[in-house]
Amino acid sequence: MEPLYGPIRDYAWGSRSAIALLQGRSVPSAGPEAELWLGAHPGAPARVDRAGLRVSLCDLVRDESGQWLGQRVSERFGSRLPFLLKVLAADAPLSLQAHPDAEQARAGFAAEAGRPEGQRNYVDPHHKPELLVALTPFEALCGFRDPVESAEALAAFGVPALAPVVAALRAGPAGLRTAVRTLLGWPVAQRHELLAAVVAAPADGPDAELVRRLATAYPGDPGALVALLLHHVRLVAGEGIWMPAGNLHAYLSGCGVEIMAASDNVLRGGLTPKRVDVDELLRVLRFEVLDDPVRAPETVGPGVDWWPVPVDDFALHRVRVDAAVPSVSLPLPGPRVVLCAGGSITVDDGAGALTLVSGEAAIGTASDAPLRIDGAGMAYVATSGLR
C-alpha cells in the first residue's frame, strides 16, 4: 500500500470543521472545506509519492494501467480508475440535481462536443451513480415521495398560484413531470413573489420549515418548493443513500463518505448559483416514486459491512477493528483505496504494509492478494464492483 494524498475542494457550502476534525487539524479551518477527493478524477486527482515528488494518480493510472488497474478493470473501463471516493462535508444545501445514465451520458457528451466548457452539461461520456454513507448525522433530499403527500404539503400554504401544481400531484406519479416542470419553469419575474407568499403563509410543520430554510438560502429559487416532492432524509452514522441515474436529490447538511462512478456529469435544476438546464434535467429524470432511499449496512463478516449497489464501477466496505476483532482479511481484488475514518490501522495488500491514522488514505495496485487491516480503528475500502 502507498500513501494517497487527496486535494480538498473549497466550495462555498463546505464545512470549516468536519474534514479538519477527521484529519486532526485545528478548527475552524481557514476557509470552507467541502470535499476531500481520493481518486484519479482529472478535475482534482490525488497524488502518490514518486522519487521525492507527489505525482498525479491520473498520470500513473494512464501510464501504468496494467499495474494499477489490472486486466479485468482495464478491459471493462479502459485506462481510468472507474470510481472516486470522497469525504463530503456540507454546512449549507447543495444544488438540486440528477445524473444521466450511461447511454444518456455518451449521447450528451457527443452532442455537446463543440460547445464551450461553461455551456456543457456533459463533460465526459460516463454515468455517475452515487452512494453516500453518513459519518455524522446527515440530512438530504433523495427521490420522489408519494405525490399525494407532496400535494397536501403544498396545499397547506394556501397560495392560489400553486393550485395547478397541487392538482397535478393529486393525480399521482403521472403528474410528477408536470409538477416539476411547472415549478422549475416558473417565470423569473414572478419567482420572488411566489416564494414570498409561501414563506409568509401560516403553514407550520417540517415541510414548511424546510421550504423557508431553503428559500432563505436561495431567495426566489423554486427549487425550495420542488424539495417538497422529495423524501426528506435524516441519516444516522452508518446509514446510506443510493442515488442511481435519474434520481433527483440534494444534500443539505452533514459529513459522509461518498463513492461514485468517476464522472462529473451533473444536471442542475435549482438551489445553486451554478448553471441550470431545466429542460435537460427533465429529460434525464425518472418520474417514479422511490419507496425508501435509505440503505442500512449489511454485515458480511466479523468487523465488515457493505452497502450493495447494482453497478460494477464501485463497491464500498466498512471495516472496524478493535480488541474483539483485531484483524480483518478482505478478499477484494485491487485497485483498492482505503480511508482511515478513526483510530489507527495498518493496511497490507501483500506488496507492503502502511499505518494510517484518522483522515489518512492509501492506495493499493491491482493485486489479487487479500487486503489485511489490523489495529484499532475504522476504515472505508473502495474497490471496483467487479468480482
Side-chain angles (χ1 to χ4, degrees), residues 155-194:
F157 290 107
V159 175
L162 291 175
V165 179
V166 172
L169 292 169
R170 283 176 173 160
L176 280 170
R177 181 184 292 273
T178 297
V180 175
R181 180 181 289 279
T182 301
L183 289 173
L184 293 183
W186 209 272
V188 174
Q190 301 172 19
R191 290 181 176 185
H192 283 277
E193 181 181 352
L194 172 66

Side-chain angles (χ1 to χ4, degrees), residues 316-372:
L316 183 68
H317 290 74
R318 179 181 62 189
V319 175
R320 288 176 287 193
V321 285
D322 53 27
V325 184
S327 180
V328 165
S329 180
L330 295 174
L332 302 174
R336 296 168 282 211
V337 173
V338 181
L339 168 69
C340 180
S344 175
I345 59 172
T346 299
V347 291
D348 189 346
D349 63 352
L354 180 67
T355 297
L356 303 174
V357 297
S358 184
E360 294 183 338
I363 186 167
T365 57
S367 168
D368 286 334
L371 177 67
R372 181 181 171 122

Side-chain angles (χ1 to χ4, degrees), residues 8-14 31-35:
I8 294 176
R9 312 306 299 269
D10 60 351
Y11 308 135
W13 49 262
E33 297 181 337
E35 295 179 345

Side-chain angles (χ1 to χ4, degrees), residues 40 60 101 159 198 222 244 292 301 331 347:
L60 292 178
D101 63 26
V159 175
V198 169
D292 185 3
V347 291

